[in-house]
Amino acid sequence: MKIKTIVIGLLVCILISYGYFVKDVENASNKNKEPITTIKGEAGVLMDVETGKVIYAKNENKKLFPASTTKMLTGLLAIKYGNLDDEITVGKEVKLKTTGESTAWLKEGQVLTLRELLAGLMLPSGNDAARTIAIYTAKRQMGNSHGSDEKALDYFVNMMNKEAKKLGAFDSHFMNPHGLHHTNHYSTAHDLGLIAKAAMKNANFREIVSSKIYSDEAITYENRNQLLNSESPFYFEGANGIKTGFTDEAGYCLVSSAERNGKKVIAVVLNSDQNNVWNDSIALLKKGFTSEYVKK
């Protein structure tokens, strides 16, 4: 009886010891794993700029409202078909402004270069700059500088949709150059990533969107992108763009980019909230630079 009790006791001790051993192994293994990335936003994508590889995706093909992230495509087209040194006179399109929309504070009759207007488009997210840029770009392509502004805006929207398809953004449709809400104006996290990837190939585009402040004799604009602001709690080392966005219907959106040690990534977050849009973006960008991914 005593022998039986001793044997049982030894078996229990062995099993307990084995359990602690397994637990220790699991803990050690977990310490070596990269943290699981989760975001609060309704949709998101993390993309490698060089290869286009999608590193992380959540509802990446869901059609959502892009708000002012739309302006990436507007800026891309303006740089592609315009001249950055062209002097452009702001016209009556400034009167199309709606209450409460973001603005670059343009005035009718004001003369600015396309470069300055692009700064007004991308940094303070001026819808007025978007309209002026769209009309300029469209009339330049139409070869009709005296055509109506309405026709020019329609022409530019057609340019936007054609360009989106060329870039592979097949689940997007645009109705205006600024991103104010329209039920038929939508995109996806993946499509916006593709548009951002194409835009960031252009050095002039990169220079503008990476600027914390753009200032010259004519204008001064401060970038809304808190990832670039070293005094912000949302500052991210290596961040170099790209575009914020918000409407009541779209929620808070952000297309961001960063570069560290030669590696470049783009993150897209759609329909998040005021604080989590930054936290979401930082979580995605961090994942792009983790050892788990970089080693692959």
Side-chain angles (χ1 to χ4, degrees):
M1 187 68 180
K2 286 183 179 181
I3 295 174
K4 184 177 180 181
T5 301
I6 292 170
V7 170
I8 293 172
L10 287 172
L11 287 173
V12 170
C13 289
I14 291 170
L15 289 172
I16 291 173
S17 298
Y18 179 76
Y20 280 117
F21 171 76
V22 170
K23 188 174 182 179
D24 288 341
V25 170
E26 288 178 349
N27 288 338
S29 178
N30 288 334
K31 285 180 182 178
N32 293 325
K33 289 181 180 178
E34 302 293 349
I36 297 171
T37 302
T38 58
I39 63 172
K40 301 291 185 181
E42 187 173 356
V45 154
L46 176 65
M47 185 178 292
D48 184 296
V49 172
E50 298 300 325
T51 66
K53 176 183 177 181
V54 173
I55 306 166
Y56 170 90
K58 175 184 177 181
N59 295 327
E60 70 274 23
N61 296 315
K62 185 173 184 178
K63 294 176 181 177
L64 296 168
F65 302 124
S68 284
T69 62
T70 297
K71 292 173 177 131
M72 294 188 302
L73 184 54
T74 299
L76 172 61
L77 286 169
I79 291 173
K80 184 176 181 178
Y81 294 107
N83 184 326
L84 291 175
D85 296 321
D86 277 357
E87 293 187 338
I88 302 164
T89 301
V90 179
K92 294 180 180 179
E93 69 273 2
V94 292
K95 296 178 180 178
L96 297 174
K97 182 179 177 180
T98 60
T99 303
E101 73 174 10
S102 55
T103 179
W105 305 282
L106 302 183
K107 297 179 181 179
E108 186 174 354
Q110 185 176 9
V111 179
L112 294 170
T113 65
L114 177 57
R115 188 187 302 274
E116 290 167 334
L117 286 170
L118 285 167
L121 174 79
M122 301 303 291
L123 274 65
S125 197
N127 289 353
D128 47 358
R131 296 184 188 99
T132 298
I133 288 170
I135 290 169
Y136 154 81
T137 307
K139 287 185 176 182
R140 205 170 191 269
Q141 282 301 105
M142 295 164 69
N144 182 7
S145 60
H146 300 293
S148 73
D149 291 348
E150 290 78 11
K151 286 184 179 179
L153 285 170
D154 288 342
Y155 187 91
F156 187 80
V157 168
N158 286 331
M159 289 177 65
M160 294 176 74
N161 287 310
K162 287 180 181 178
E163 187 70 16
K165 297 300 182 290
K166 286 181 183 178
L167 297 176
F170 300 115
D171 293 318
S172 298
H173 188 266
F174 301 97
M175 293 296 294
N176 58 61
H178 39 67
L180 280 180
H181 180 68
H182 188 291
T183 54
N184 205 30
H185 186 105
Y186 55 82
S187 189
T188 69
H190 184 261
D191 282 3
L192 290 171
L194 293 176
I195 293 168
K197 179 173 173 285
M200 290 297 281
K201 289 180 179 179
N202 185 281
N204 291 306
F205 185 92
R206 291 197 306 272
E207 181 182 1
I208 291 169
V209 300
S210 65
S211 301
K212 180 183 174 183
I213 294 176
Y214 183 98
S215 184
D216 61 22
E217 294 179 357
I219 51 92
T220 297
Y221 293 124
E222 186 172 352
N223 203 324
R224 289 186 171 190
N225 188 348
Q226 295 300 303
L227 298 179
L228 303 176
N229 185 353
S230 59
E231 297 177 0
S232 167
F234 302 113
Y235 173 70
F236 186 82
E237 185 180 353
N240 57 4
I242 303 174
K243 190 70 197 75
T244 58
F246 170 77
T247 64
D248 289 338
E249 297 84 358
Y252 286 85
C253 306
L254 180 63
V255 180
S256 57
S257 63
E259 179 177 355
R260 289 182 181 177
N261 300 318
K263 177 157 287 296
K264 305 171 186 177
V265 293
I266 286 171
V268 181
V269 175
L270 298 180
N271 195 19
S272 194
D273 59 45
Q274 190 169 11
N275 285 326
N276 278 314
V277 71
W278 305 108
N279 294 328
D280 286 348
S281 299
I282 289 169
L284 291 180
L285 293 174
K286 278 184 177 179
K287 184 175 180 65
F289 299 115
T290 56
S291 58
E292 176 188 26
Y293 169 65
V294 172
K295 287 177 181 178
K296 291 182 179 180

